[in-house]
Structures are given as C-alpha cells and as structure tokens.
Amino acid sequence: MYRPPATLTRIIVPLLALVLTAGLTQAAPAAWPPREPMPRLEIGMHNAPIMRIGVDARERFLVTASYDKTARVWDLESGKLLQVLRVPSGPDPNEGKLYCAAISPDSKYVAAAGWTRTGSNDIYIFNRKTGHLLLTPATLRGLPNVINHLAFSPDGRYLAATLGGGHGLRVYHTRDWSLAGKDTNYGNLSIWADFDRRDRLVTSSYDGYLRLYDRNFHLIRKKKAPGGQRPFCVRFSPDGSLVAVGFDDSTQVNVVSGQDLGFKYAPDTRGVDNGNLGRVAWSRDGRRLYAGGPYYDKGLNIDPILQWTQAGRGPCTKILASTDTIMDLWPLQDGRVAFGSTDPAFGVLAPDGKRVPLHLPDTLDFRDKEGQLLVSRDGQTVQFGFFVQGKNFMGKIHQARLDLKQRRLMVDPEAGKGGKNLRPPRTRGLQITGWKNTTAPKLNGQPLRLDAYEKSRSLALAPGGRRFILGADWDIRCFDHHGGEVWSHAVPSTAWAVNVSGDGKIAVAALGDGTIRWYSMQDGEELLAFFLHRDLRRWVLWCPEGFFDFSPGGEKLVGYHLNQGATRTPEFIAIDRLYDRFYRPDLVAWRLEGRPEGEIKAVLGRMGDIRQVLARGDLPPDVEMVIVKQKGRDFTVKLKLRDRGGGIGKVVYFIDDAPVETLKARPVGISGPRGRRPSLGGRYRGIQEVDRSFTGNPGNNRVKVVAYNADGTVRSASVLGNVMVKAAKIEPALYVLAVGITNYRDDSLHLDYAAPDARDFAATIKDRAQGLFQKVQVEPPLVDQQATRTGIKGAFEKLANLVKPEDVFILYLAGHGFTLEEGRYCRYYFAPWEVQYINQKTLRQGSIGQEQLRAWLENIKARKSLIILDTCNAGAFANLPPVRGLVEKTALDHFMQATGRAMLLATKNQQFAIEGYEGHGVFTYVLLEGLKGEADRKVSGNRDSQISISELADYATQEVPRITLKIWHREQTPMLDLKGQNFPIAFTK
C-alpha cells in the first residue's frame, strides 16, 4: 500500500505563512473584484485540502471549506453534493481561499471566509438552499486580516470569527449581522472559537493563550495552556464544564476547566512521535474525546483519529481515518464523528472504528513521483506517475501517457513500448542542494529565492545546464546557472514534479490540484493545462485563450469563475456551455506546435479570447420552465426567459435528448401568428415568455431546454423536466433515407463506391429490419443525379410529414464531405451531385452545410435516430486549402453535437476512399457485415439475434482499424457519438 509523505510541512506551515502575512503587505486593489474570467476545476469534489467542516443541528447537511476557493454543502447521509458555494475572488492563487465555513443550527445559512480579499477580508453569508449570497452587511466586510475560523452558537443567535495578524475576535448577531462583541487585544493570530450551550465562548491564539468570554462576550479569563506554545483547536464539552485543547506545536492534548481554564488533565498520547493532534472534539454525550491532525502512525501506515474513553482519562484507541492530515472533527449522534482531511476527503467514523468514506479524493496524487514525470523532445508527449486512493486505504500507483498529437491517453502503458523517447527530469549537472521539501534550496551554497515559508518540492535542469526549474508550494521558478531568477509563475497548487522538454522550449509541471501544466521556458507563460479524473477515463485539456478538448464526460470538469461584484454571487460557466465557439482541439494543439506568434494572433482575432468574451458580461438568460399536461399525449412547455446582460438568442428544446425545435432570435418581437414558429428578440432586455406544444411518447419523456445569449457565445445551464404520458405502447416504424454519389457532375470529383454502397445499405437494412418494426419504409436511394440539393431536401420534407415521435429514423450519406474554417468556426459540408469546385466560395454556396442538415433533421420528429456519414475528401477536393486533421475532426465533433442524434462517421482519407475493400468503402463494408450478424456474434455479450446501434458502433470501431491497418498499414478510426441511446435496428436471421 502506498503512503504519501508526512503532511506537516505541506499543510500547517503554508497555513501559518498565509495567516501571518495576509493583509500586511498589500493594499486592496481599487477595482475589486476583477471582471476577468478565471479558469477553475469543477470535478464534483474539492481539489485542494478541506480546512473545516460543519454540521447542522438535525445532522442533515455537512458543509466543507477548502483552499480550492469553494465551500460545499453535502447530504450527510449519502455524501451527495447539494450546493457549490463560490465567493468573489481574484487571479492570485491565495485570494479566495476558504479557511473556514460554518452552517447555522437550523441549516438556513452557511458562513464562509478565509483569505477572501487581499488587504480587506469579508465574511460571506449564503442561503444554504439556493446557494446564493445574501447582501453582505458592512459589518462583515473589510475585516483587517484573514478569517481563520467561524462558529455559530448552538441557539443560532451568534456567529463568531477569529482573525489573523493579532486582530482577535469578532462576534455578530445573526438577526441583522450587527456586531455583538469583539476583542482585538491578541498578541498573534486567533485560530479557533467555540460556544457552549449558554453562549459562552472560548478561543485559542498563537500568542499561547486561551481566552474565555461570558455570554455578553466580556473576557473573564485569559490563561496559557501547558501542553504547547501554539494552542490550535478548542472545544467545550457538551455540558460546558471542560474544554479540550489541541496544539499546533505539540503532540499533547490538554483538558482544562470550562469555568476558569485551569488545567485538569492530559489524555495519554504516549507513542505519538510526530506531527500533532491539533484538532479535538467531544462525543455528543461527553464520554469520549477525539483528536487528530498531521499525525502519521508508521505502524498503521495511516493518519488515525485517537479516541479516549472516560472523557479523555481512559485508554486510547486508534481509528483508521485518512491517508492525510485530519483538519477538522465534528461529533454526531450515536457516538459517530465526522472528519475532513487534506487528501481532500471526508467521512464518518463509528465508535467501533468503522469508517464510512462519504467522498474520496477525485484528484491524482503526484507526491513522491517527481522522477516519473517524463517528457518528449517537443513537449507534446508526457508520461506521469500518480497514486489514486481507493476504499479501505488500498490505493494504487499508476502511470499514464498523454500524446497531444494523437489526442490519445494511455493508462498504464506497456513498459518500454512507445516511451523510449521520453526523458525524466535531470537533477544533476549543477550543485543544487536542498531542493526537495525544504525552505532553503541552494546553488553552489548560495540561497535560491523563494517566498517566506515556501518550500521547494522538485527540480529539473534544462538541456545544456544553463537554466533550471524549481517547483515549489506557490510558484514554479526558472533560474540561470548563476542562480539569477529568470522568471516565476504562480501555480494554483504545489508543484510536486517538474521537467523540461528536450528542445529546452517547454517546462512541464505536475501540480497538487491534479493538473499537468505546460509553460514557456522563455517567459513562464502558461500554455496548456490537463486534468485527468481519478476514474482514469474522463479528461480535459484547455489553454488560457479558452479553447478546449475533452474525452466523453470531461466537458464538465473545468469552467470559468465570473465575479458579479463584491457582494453578489459569482457565476460559474462550465466549458460545455461554451462548446459552440471554444471546442477547438486543433487550436489547443497549436499551443505546443511552435506556430508563429503572428499566426496565433490572427486566429485569436477571428475567434475571440475567452477572457474578452466572458469579461463583457454577456451571460445567457435565466430559464424557468413549467410543463403543463394536456389531452392524450400532448403537453405544453412554458418558458420564462430573463435577460442577464447578454440578450436572448436561440432556444433549443430537446425530448429524450433529441432536439425537437429551435427558436431563432430576430431583432424585435417574440411571436407571430398562431401555428408559426415564434422568434426571440435578440438583445431585447427584460423578460420573454414562450409556450410550445409537443407530443410525447408513452412512458416518461425527458424534456430539456437550453438558451443562448444573443451572439451565441454562451448557453444556459440545461433546464430539465419530465412528462409521464399514460398511453398504450405504440410499435415504432422504421424510416430510412440513403444517399450516395459516385458520378458527380464535375468529373474530377468521381468516387468509386458511394452510390452502390448507398443501394446496398438500403437493401440490407430493409431485409434485416423486417419483423422488428411494425413497418419498414426505406425510401428509394438517392444516387448520383438524384442526389441534388433539391432532391435531398424533398426527401427530408416528405419524411417530415410521415415520421412520428415514436418512430426510428436512419440517414445514410456517402459521397464527398469536407471541412472549411469560417471565421470563428469550422464547418462540415456535404457535396450534392451538382456541386462544382470553382473556388471556395462557390463550393460553400453549392454544398449542404451542417446547419442546413441539422435543420432538416430537426423536422424529423423521431426521438430515436441514427446518422451514418461515409464521406471523404478526395479528387479535386484535395486542392482545397490545407486543413489540419484536427480541424476536420473538430468540425465533425461540432456536427455530431449539433444534430443531437446518434452518429457514426467514417473519417476516412483519400487512399481508403479510392481503393475500397471487397467492392465497398471500408466503413460501409464493415457496417453491412455487422448488420448481417457479425456485430451480434463478435461484439455482443448476450447474442440475442438483434443488432443494436451500440453493437454496430462497437463492431465498426473494432473492425475498421483492423482492416485498414492490415491492408494499408495505417488505421482509419471511425468517430461516434451515440448520445447515450441504444436501440435495435436489425435481426441477425
């Protein structure tokens, strides 16, 4: 079992540094909070240490506060995330870190604070149910130093806050948040506060003193505890007669009088030989005393929580709790205790030691893996080692390799295969000492610059040895061979590993938030960031300009924090809401390709930078939805759209994930005569209401609506609803439209297999679908001269009048498909028979663009659809302006996203298109074999004599690469997006 290194120096010393220096060196910026959007991970769990936890009186909710600048509200029973609470913050890695949070006993409020504003710190009050910030009164704003701890009184009448920098204590009335009391006569930071049931208050301070206040918050006793010089956590026993004290600088725990702070006794801590037991808690009945902290038990190989019976006088039991520092404890009913740790993780412990982990870390752990960060010469391939924590502390060490050129992630790649050109960091060649886990790295005996209390964690020498990189707690720094600092760049979390590419142009760092980041060796500019979830499947890549790439499910792992003012709830925009413009894998790849700066600036000029787009405040409208059931299968979706500064653009309705209608924006007005599609009012300011009626299928119908801002940059979060239709089950019909063009009007566009492929596909599906549907209607294939723009449009219009919501629709297109970059976007086009390639403009005008195809598909009401594209770019189209392979894939990805239908795409190149296989295009050959039964026999686990679209997709992705690699010695890999759907389309017979 892997054990991360001891955490005392990692957590406690950086915390001490922050609270001692915050607010003392900088004045608050004039314009605060900043308007610039700031990238943030959002993985459904904290990605930095949990510093405090709290529980309401009825033990329904648990709140956690973290260095990741969020507080979170969880269902205590299940661990389900209920709210993410965000405070106004800045780009500085420290500004916005939350050191504490507390939930009111009635669970109405959550208070959160920490280093919330440089030079002027605020306490934020949230509505727990909605997650919205309440208007913060002046009494809670502009405090003179960071807030280390918050505590509500048991009756909910008061909120106490302890401050750094010797600024002491504040107590507030919760009825109006007015000041109820304060004490600023502290010699150092105040670290903790606790109420008893009579509203008396006890605090701890690094000046060495405990302080006891009466119910009017007058100081009645001030006394040093004998167990250490820096008392940390203080907790009243349930009856208020005793106070437990943990220390930051000692392994002792003290119990003192709740009346005069006089020493009573010290629980037995013999054998605790490292760290401390600074966090203490009593059981609800006062019979047990608990303590934990950065104490690592070498025998148990774990950070335990110590439990003493007889109120701390009895024997000690060690309870296995966490693989990292215990940061807070909270007593629960039935002798249970909740804990939070720096992993980050939280859970509940039973009196018998049974551990119920409510949430384990979702980040990768790079500690002690600095030698396993391997980098290629150009920096575009990295390999990294990491630890993933599992249940019962049995985690696992992995390796992963990311190839940016291929968009390929390999977890635990075969040793020695494909990694021979990757190199570990060089740490020898210069006389650098103290670079690992110390505050005093040196070159030739001379100190290297770090911030106060900051520790160096990793080292990498650049090729030639004239520069080197130090990874530290708060920065990565580049030095020359004389020790002069070339540049430094603040990092969001500790740089546990660093390396430099073989060409010396790129620095790579593995950080404590689970990200891998790339930096320019010239000036330290961040170029790219990568996050891999602990499930080792979902990942996301993004660059500072906002362009991103992701694996399925990875599109929600990162987003942008947008401040809305000093007292308003910040907005969070997940990147999937920016998909239309900023999903550009091709431009992500540019960041490491060494493209000329002028070329990059030209593209950014067309595309727009995310920092410019979101900083304008062009937010999408709020969407409220009410679904009204009507007669039979019909229902009405009523929307209220509230403009939030970005205007109101198009609105898209989905039923069972299939788009069923799009309302387009127009300059003014919102609706036309009954029966016509309403339009939306562009940048109309205010509220618009729109009603649309739909027909549901028997059973549950999932309704989803998204709305865009006026310029289509950002869409709203999805608004969801369900409609249950009680009706007899209806047997679906199958409708098929096949299009194939071999002999184009322009002879230079000739293909060999498209038309016969379309005929054979139509015939095969017609034969194999019989008996599976109540009717199979395969339209006569549109081939060659029949496949004009007008002919294809007419076929869609005919089917739009026939296909019902319960039916299944299949579209097959074979012919020329191509991609064009157009301003901010890259678009897919299908070339009808009559198209002629004179120039790019005429080609675009004569072809069928993805928006037109999407609109035609939207008129087909089938909720279950499969779109198959066996298209290529060959012949005269090879003369098109060169398009990088990733651009084409990007366009196809956008097309798949826009249709909302299950899709299978060939993505073949010119060689495969011309040579074919067994009288067909390779892709269509595989589909035909799959429909004839191979997909059921070779892929399916149940062999039910039916071919589902997922079986067909799996068979295609298995066989197409195999055949093309065997015949042409290069792989053709289909693209697919099934939208979570799976339904049968054929019998094997």
Side-chain angles (χ1 to χ4, degrees):
M1 179 175 66
Y2 170 72
R3 158 71 198 181
T7 57
L8 175 62
T9 56
R10 189 174 88 253
I11 298 300
I12 303 304
V13 170
L15 171 60
L16 176 60
L18 290 177
V19 296
L20 288 177
T21 60
L24 301 180
T25 58
Q26 276 188 301
W32 196 93
R35 291 290 299 171
E36 63 182 281
M38 290 163 278
R40 296 277 194 271
L41 287 171
E42 181 44 65
I43 58 178
M45 173 56 175
H46 293 295
N47 59 72
I50 293 173
M51 304 305 293
R52 295 288 191 275
I53 65 172
V55 178
D56 69 303
R58 293 175 59 185
E59 298 185 0
R60 295 173 298 168
F61 308 107
L62 181 143
V63 63
T64 54
S66 171
Y67 273 179
D68 68 6
K69 307 187 180 184
T70 70
R72 293 169 189 255
V73 180
W74 311 84
D75 180 276
L76 182 57
E77 181 68 24
S78 66
K80 179 182 178 181
L81 178 63
L82 302 176
Q83 291 288 355
V84 180
L85 309 178
R86 303 179 190 277
V87 301
S89 63
D92 182 279
N94 293 320
E95 195 172 68
K97 283 184 174 180
L98 296 182
Y99 298 168
C100 51
I103 185 169
S104 61
D106 63 2
S107 76
K108 184 177 179 180
Y109 301 120
V110 172
W115 187 336
T116 51
R117 179 158 35 146
T118 301
S120 182
N121 294 274
D122 299 347
I123 299 172
Y124 294 98
I125 308 298
F126 292 87
N127 180 303
R128 188 272 310 162
K129 186 174 182 179
T130 66
H132 292 158
L133 268 176
L134 303 181
L135 181 61
T136 309
T139 52
L140 300 182
R141 301 201 306 267
L143 297 175
N145 210 286
V146 299
I147 295 91
N148 294 319
H149 192 75
L150 294 168
F152 282 99
S153 60
D155 58 14
R157 295 170 58 200
Y158 301 104
L159 174 68
T162 63
L163 278 65
H167 292 277
L169 170 72
R170 306 289 188 276
V171 184
Y172 302 92
H173 295 284
T174 57
R175 65 174 183 268
D176 58 5
W177 308 110
S178 62
L179 191 65
K182 71 175 182 178
D183 183 355
T184 59
N185 188 24
Y186 279 62
N188 205 323
L189 63 96
S190 180
I191 204 70
W192 208 282
D194 192 46
F195 287 94
D196 74 356
R197 295 192 178 278
R198 292 177 291 166
D199 288 340
R200 295 186 309 147
L201 190 64
V202 64
T203 67
S204 62
S205 172
Y206 275 8
D207 64 9
Y209 286 95
L210 307 178
R211 290 167 172 84
L212 183 65
Y213 301 85
D214 65 18
R215 63 185 303 167
N216 295 313
F217 311 117
H218 298 139
L219 181 65
I220 58 176
R221 188 70 63 185
K222 174 182 174 182
K223 195 163 187 175
K224 286 198 173 185
Q229 298 299 311
R230 294 204 300 264
F232 195 87
C233 175
V234 286
R235 286 267 171 73
F236 276 112
S237 61
D239 63 3
S241 65
L242 300 172
V243 174
V245 185
F247 297 87
D248 181 44
D249 62 339
S250 168
T251 59
Q252 289 193 43
V253 174
N254 281 182
V255 177
V256 301
S257 168
Q259 305 304 315
D260 60 10
L261 302 181
F263 178 78
K264 289 288 189 179
Y265 54 89
D268 183 4
T269 59
R270 288 176 297 179
V272 179
D273 58 1
N274 67 84
N276 65 61
L277 299 172
R279 289 78 176 157
V280 294
W282 300 89
S283 62
R284 283 284 187 107
D285 59 10
R287 295 178 181 178
R288 295 182 181 86
L289 179 62
Y290 300 94
Y295 162 52
Y296 164 54
D297 189 294
K298 298 175 184 178
L300 297 173
N301 201 31
I302 213 75
D303 283 72
I305 292 174
L306 273 60
Q307 173 186 260
W308 295 273
T309 58
Q310 302 175 35
R313 294 185 179 93
C316 176
T317 302
K318 294 179 180 179
I319 305 174
L320 302 183
S322 177
T323 62
D324 219 325
T325 299
I326 303 297
M327 291 303 294
D328 202 358
L329 299 168
W330 195 275
L332 303 173
Q333 295 176 358
D334 303 323
R336 299 173 301 147
V337 61
F339 70 91
S341 65
T342 61
D343 298 88
F346 63 91
V348 173
L349 301 174
D352 62 2
K354 184 178 179 181
R355 173 177 176 264
V356 181
L358 295 180
H359 220 306
L360 296 172
D362 283 337
T363 52
L364 310 184
D365 190 338
F366 298 122
R367 287 173 293 169
D368 281 352
K369 301 291 181 292
E370 66 275 358
Q372 296 181 32
L373 179 60
L374 314 182
V375 181
S376 64
R377 177 173 176 77
D378 59 4
Q380 296 201 56
T381 301
V382 296
Q383 183 166 306
F384 46 94
F386 56 91
F387 169 73
V388 174
Q389 187 181 143
K391 293 183 179 180
N392 300 320
F393 312 106
M394 299 303 292
K396 187 176 181 181
I397 297 174
H398 294 274
Q399 296 279 330
R401 185 181 304 154
L402 176 67
D403 185 334
L404 294 173
K405 291 180 180 178
Q406 301 294 324
R407 296 178 73 211
R408 186 179 182 187
L409 176 72
M410 293 165 280
V411 176
D412 295 324
E414 186 178 338
K417 187 175 181 180
K420 63 180 181 180
N421 295 321
L422 304 177
R423 297 289 181 264
R426 287 181 56 210
T427 57
R428 297 182 179 180
L430 294 174
Q431 294 299 312
I432 303 173
T433 57
W435 60 265
K436 185 172 180 180
N437 298 333
T438 81
T439 58
K442 296 179 181 180
L443 172 65
N444 298 325
Q446 297 300 310
L448 294 167
R449 180 182 176 275
L450 291 179
D451 288 339
Y453 307 102
E454 185 178 25
K455 285 194 172 186
S456 173
R457 304 294 186 176
S458 50
L459 168 69
L461 274 64
R466 300 187 65 82
R467 286 188 177 187
F468 61 92
I469 299 290
L470 279 185
D473 286 327
W474 305 318
D475 299 89
I476 60 169
R477 300 175 186 272
C478 179
F479 297 90
D480 64 28
H481 64 293
H482 297 299
E485 185 176 284
V486 180
W487 53 259
S488 67
H489 190 98
V491 290
S493 191
T494 301
W496 293 114
V498 291
N499 204 342
V500 180
S501 61
D503 60 12
K505 295 180 179 180
I506 294 172
V508 184
L511 305 184
D513 63 355
T515 61
I516 304 289
R517 300 189 186 232
W518 289 254
Y519 302 88
S520 166
M521 277 294 287
Q522 180 177 353
D523 55 13
E525 176 191 4
E526 183 174 321
L527 303 174
L528 192 62
F530 170 78
F531 178 82
L532 172 63
H533 191 272
R534 74 184 300 269
D535 62 19
L536 307 185
R537 294 189 302 273
R538 289 179 287 161
W539 57 260
V540 60
L541 274 162
W542 71 98
C543 57
E545 295 82 7
F547 307 119
F548 61 90
D549 189 9
F550 60 88
S551 68
E555 66 274 20
K556 293 185 181 294
L557 295 176
V558 73
Y560 290 89
H561 174 104
L562 299 176
N563 292 313
Q564 302 298 304
T567 60
R568 294 177 58 196
T569 311
E571 182 83 14
F572 181 78
I573 304 291
I575 58 171
D576 67 322
R577 294 170 58 185
L578 302 162
Y579 182 94
D580 296 66
R581 183 182 295 189
F582 289 98
Y583 172 67
R584 291 296 301 266
D586 54 315
L587 299 183
V588 171
W590 271 32
R591 298 304 297 162
L592 300 184
E593 286 182 358
R595 297 256 173 183
E597 189 64 26
E599 188 174 351
I600 293 176
K601 288 182 177 179
V603 171
L604 290 178
R606 296 195 307 269
M607 296 290 299
D609 188 305
I610 191 70
R611 293 164 290 197
Q612 300 165 352
V613 171
L614 291 182
R616 293 198 303 261
D618 291 349
L619 297 177
D622 273 332
V623 184
E624 296 179 17
M625 180 174 69
V626 176
I627 301 175
V628 180
K629 187 71 167 30
Q630 296 179 330
K631 293 182 180 180
R633 295 168 57 192
D634 296 334
F635 59 90
T636 297
V637 178
K638 295 177 174 291
L639 298 183
K640 180 181 287 187
L641 307 168
R642 181 178 289 105
D643 178 30
R644 291 193 301 156
I648 300 175
K650 68 179 180 179
V651 177
V652 185
Y653 296 81
F654 300 79
I655 299 179
D656 293 338
D657 297 321
V660 293
E661 185 160 12
T662 299
L663 307 185
K664 295 184 177 180
R666 61 185 174 89
V668 293
I670 61 172
S671 64
R674 185 173 178 84
R676 295 176 56 188
R677 285 190 179 186
S679 298
L680 300 169
R683 288 198 174 271
Y684 175 84
R685 305 290 179 177
I687 297 175
Q688 299 188 33
E689 296 183 357
V690 182
D691 296 352
R692 299 301 292 152
S693 295
F694 301 97
T695 300
N697 285 334
N700 185 53
N701 293 257
R702 301 185 309 277
V703 179
K704 179 175 74 174
V705 175
V706 296
Y708 288 77
N709 61 357
D711 67 3
T713 306
V714 190
R715 68 170 176 83
S716 68
S718 300
V719 181
L720 306 174
N722 291 279
V723 181
M724 181 60 67
V725 173
K726 294 181 179 180
K729 184 178 179 181
I730 304 172
E731 291 298 323
L734 172 66
Y735 293 87
V736 180
L737 174 60
V739 179
I741 310 169
T742 293
N743 298 307
Y744 276 85
R745 178 182 178 185
D746 185 338
D747 289 340
S748 65
L749 303 181
H750 176 80
L751 293 171
D752 290 328
Y753 305 107
D757 279 354
R759 291 191 186 99
D760 287 352
F761 179 84
T764 301
I765 197 72
K766 183 176 182 179
D767 176 55
R768 297 288 171 162
Q770 296 297 331
L772 193 58
F773 301 90
Q774 58 96 357
K775 180 177 74 171
V776 176
Q777 181 167 328
V778 178
E779 294 296 296
L782 299 179
V783 297
D784 294 342
Q785 292 95 329
Q786 300 165 320
T788 62
R789 183 189 187 93
T790 301
I792 297 171
K793 178 183 178 183
F796 270 103
E797 290 175 345
K798 174 185 175 182
L799 290 170
N801 293 320
L802 296 175
V803 180
K804 296 179 176 61
E806 65 268 18
D807 294 332
V808 175
F809 173 68
I810 297 177
L811 172 66
Y812 173 94
L813 294 179
H816 278 296
F818 59 92
T819 298
L820 294 176
E821 288 189 89
E822 301 172 355
R824 299 170 177 172
Y825 306 98
C826 44
R827 305 291 196 191
Y828 171 81
Y829 288 85
F830 179 74
W833 170 80
E834 71 274 20
V835 74
Q836 289 185 303
Y837 179 31
I838 298 173
N839 55 47
Q840 191 167 321
K841 181 179 180 180
T842 60
L843 179 62
R844 182 190 304 111
Q845 292 174 342
S847 297
I848 302 171
Q850 66 182 53
E851 289 302 314
Q852 182 63 75
L853 282 169
R854 184 200 59 77
W856 288 345
L857 286 167
E858 193 173 280
N859 290 327
I860 304 295
K861 299 305 180 185
R863 306 282 159 75
K864 295 179 179 179
S865 300
L866 175 62
I867 315 303
I868 299 172
L869 300 184
D870 193 355
T871 61
C872 65
N873 185 336
F877 283 173
N879 297 319
L880 278 173
V883 176
R884 300 175 304 282
L886 272 180
V887 174
E888 187 166 22
K889 288 182 180 294
T890 299
L892 293 172
D893 274 334
H894 276 281
F895 183 36
M896 289 192 291
Q897 178 81 2
T899 65
R901 268 72 173 178
M903 295 191 72
L904 275 171
L905 284 67
T907 65
K908 61 187 177 184
N909 66 18
Q910 183 175 354
Q911 183 179 12
F912 302 142
I914 294 173
E915 297 186 13
Y917 183 77
E918 298 289 338
H920 294 283
V922 181
F923 181 63
T924 295
Y925 168 81
V926 170
L927 294 182
L928 295 176
E929 292 299 301
L931 289 171
K932 293 173 183 176
E934 291 300 294
D936 188 57
R937 288 188 285 272
K938 292 188 176 180
V939 175
S940 174
N942 58 12
R943 304 219 175 167
D944 57 1
S945 299
Q946 293 184 0
I947 307 297
S948 67
I949 62 170
S950 65
E951 289 172 340
L952 189 62
D954 289 345
Y955 182 68
T957 55
Q958 170 184 298
E959 287 297 299
V960 172
R962 184 189 67 81
I963 292 172
T964 53
L965 185 62
K966 177 181 177 181
I967 303 300
W968 291 280
H969 307 294
R970 56 182 298 185
E971 290 183 331
Q972 173 188 342
T973 303
M975 295 176 66
L976 60 94
D977 185 354
L978 301 186
K979 303 296 181 187
Q981 297 189 57
N982 190 29
F983 49 87
I985 57 174
F987 277 130
T988 61
K989 292 190 178 181

